Amino acid sequence: MSHENYESAMHRALELALLGPAWGVNPQVGCVILDANGQIIAEGWHRGAGTAHAEVDALSKLSQVPAGATAVVTLEPCNHTGRTGPCAQALIAAGVSRVVYAVADPGAESSQGAQTLRDAGVEVLGGVLESEASEQNRVWLTANRLQRPFVTLKWASSIDGRAAANDGTSKWISGPESRADSHQRRSEVDAILVGTGTILADDAALTARKPDGTLFEHQPLRVVIGNRDLPADARVFNDQAETMHLRTHSIHGILAALWAEGIKHVWVEGGPSVASQFARLGLVDEYIIYLAPLLIGGERTAIRDLGITSMPEAKRLKFVEMKQLGEDIFIRAIEERA
Ligand SMILES: NC(=O)c1ccc[n+]([C@@H]2O[C@H](COP(=O)([O-])OP(=O)(O)OC[C@H]3O[C@@H](n4cnc5c(N)ncnc54)[C@H](OP(=O)(O)O)[C@@H]3O)[C@@H](O)[C@H]2O)c1
């Protein structure tokens, strides 16, 4: 079978992976099984922690795997027994002849699946559409490599970089399309984090809502950081999602505590004081910025002091995605790290 054939099967596996939830401790994984002629005979994907892995889900669709079959999977098959059995063993037991995967598994417990397959005489080919698959699973891969939650820092600002007017009001800087996009993204993360300042200024509910105001099925954990007391009737304490108030300023400590709770992806919504600290400490893995065609001026910039005094020290970002959203510009950026 040709490499192009594996690539087109991997494209399908990558589409299937997205049917699983982006939130939760596990990665999104898709798998297709090809017969000896390269035709897709089964498809599977992972539906979240505690459910069948993509390979096992695909195999379950077949009463028997035909001779010469290939499993094409977006992540190296796992080698460990967690809540479900190891996928490498399941593929061997099913009699698959060849396994093609995109990205190696960085997990200490679950890696080495490729070696187990090879030892059992299964042909293994890794690295097919590796960059696409790494991009799709960047949150899970980065979190596991760094052993802390992946951090997205989001803000909405005027074109002159203001996150609020001088009186503290910030509703609404961005337009309805940006707000809908941001709520959709909230619904795909594990936790949403702000400082006490944002709750006291805005009484933000921090829920993930659809444009009609109804809640998404998955609601991230709400995390408020800072020492000040919050009113008991603040909207962030409503019963629409769980809330944690952490009375600390230690960003590293907060991330370690959230990682220990199984939080893979934290969405930081500010405000400017907290956002600046994350950026200053080099703890932002991805910036999401909604830039609105407004001029506000004044003191309330989206990012405050970063400890930078001269241009050579400026943090250099790279725009990895840009698009128009209604009247606004959506920017996804990463820090250029040495
Ligand atoms: N446009 C946007 O995207 C956006 C988003 C959010 C907020 N806002 C606006 O931002 C304004 C609020 O700004 P803000 O800076 O006060 O909000 P903030 O960053 O949410 O809260 C600041 C507070 O966070 C606590 N904190 C915890 N760890 C910290 C750390 N490591 N460093 C600094 N502070 C830490 C401190 O509270 P304690 O004093 O209690 O310890 C601090 O006073 C409002 O006007 C709001 O409307 C705009």
Side-chain angles (χ1 to χ4, degrees):
M1 226 178 303
S2 70
H3 207 269
E4 289 78 55
N5 200 316
Y6 293 144
E7 286 193 359
S8 100
M10 190 65 82
H11 276 299
R12 179 64 190 147
L14 286 166
E15 279 173 10
L16 292 167
L18 293 178
L19 298 175
W23 48 272
V25 287
N26 283 2
Q28 290 173 298
V29 188
C31 175
V32 298
I33 312 278
L34 307 176
D35 66 13
N37 299 319
Q39 297 301 311
I40 293 180
I41 52 171
E43 298 185 335
W45 66 93
H46 180 49
R47 291 166 179 77
T51 70
H53 288 187
E55 301 90 319
V56 173
D57 184 45
L59 290 172
S60 75
K61 315 268 170 72
L62 298 171
S63 52
Q64 204 186 344
V65 174
T70 300
V72 177
V73 55
T74 56
L75 181 69
E76 177 185 355
C78 75
N79 200 34
H80 87 305
T81 307
R83 275 185 268 186
T84 57
C87 293
Q89 288 303 338
L91 291 161
I92 294 163
V96 166
S97 303
R98 192 177 300 103
V99 171
V100 175
Y101 68 87
V103 191
D105 186 337
E109 277 179 19
S110 53
S111 61
Q112 303 298 316
Q115 195 54 49
T116 301
L117 288 161
R118 282 195 187 99
D119 291 346
V122 177
E123 195 186 317
V124 179
L125 176 64
V128 173
L129 296 190
E130 185 174 8
S131 57
E132 287 88 337
S134 301
E135 171 66 10
Q136 186 182 85
N137 251 328
R138 62 186 182 279
V139 169
W140 184 82
L141 289 166
T142 306
N144 279 282
R145 183 166 48 80
L146 301 175
Q147 292 290 299
R148 63 152 174 81
F150 184 95
V151 174
T152 298
L153 173 56
K154 170 258 167 176
W155 74 77
S157 72
S158 55
I159 193 112
D160 59 343
R162 269 53 182 189
N166 273 346
D167 67 355
T169 52
S170 62
K171 284 181 181 148
W172 295 107
I173 290 177
S174 56
E177 294 84 356
S178 295
R179 300 206 298 277
D181 183 81
S182 155
H183 276 270
Q184 171 71 42
R185 289 170 190 273
R186 278 183 179 183
S187 78
E188 295 172 358
V189 302
D190 301 300
I192 171 166
L193 181 148
V194 296
T196 49
T198 294
I199 298 300
L200 293 169
D202 298 348
D203 194 17
L206 301 185
T207 48
R209 299 182 297 278
K210 298 176 189 171
D212 66 4
T214 57
L215 295 172
F216 279 96
E217 196 181 329
H218 167 70
Q219 291 296 320
L221 170 71
R222 300 177 288 194
V223 181
V224 185
I225 62 170
N227 296 319
R228 277 172 289 174
D229 288 333
L230 300 169
D233 62 352
R235 293 203 298 155
V236 76
F237 293 125
N238 68 22
D239 60 6
Q240 295 176 332
E242 280 184 55
T243 302
M244 249 186 208
H245 179 188
L246 301 175
R247 292 175 191 268
T248 170
H249 285 196
S250 165
I251 305 291
H252 283 287
I254 289 158
L255 288 180
L258 293 176
W259 182 244
E261 291 289 319
I263 299 292
K264 175 183 78 183
H265 192 176
V266 179
W267 173 264
V268 178
E269 285 233 0
S273 309
V274 163
S276 306
Q277 282 307 312
F278 272 91
R280 187 172 187 159
L281 293 168
L283 290 171
V284 180
D285 299 301
E286 193 162 85
Y287 292 80
I288 290 202
I289 300 154
Y290 300 93
L291 206 54
L294 298 174
L295 293 172
I296 301 177
E299 302 298 312
R300 302 212 180 219
T301 51
I303 294 288
R304 306 234 166 107
D305 186 23
L306 293 177
I308 290 169
T309 50
S310 71
M311 273 314 286
E313 298 164 27
K315 279 186 186 290
R316 188 159 292 280
L317 305 189
K318 184 174 170 200
F319 294 166
V320 288
E321 193 182 343
M322 284 175 72
K323 61 186 173 190
Q324 179 117 22
L325 264 186
E327 310 245 294
D328 304 332
I329 294 175
F330 167 93
I331 299 171
R332 187 161 68 84
I334 55 172
E335 231 168 88
E336 286 198 333
R337 288 177 180 149

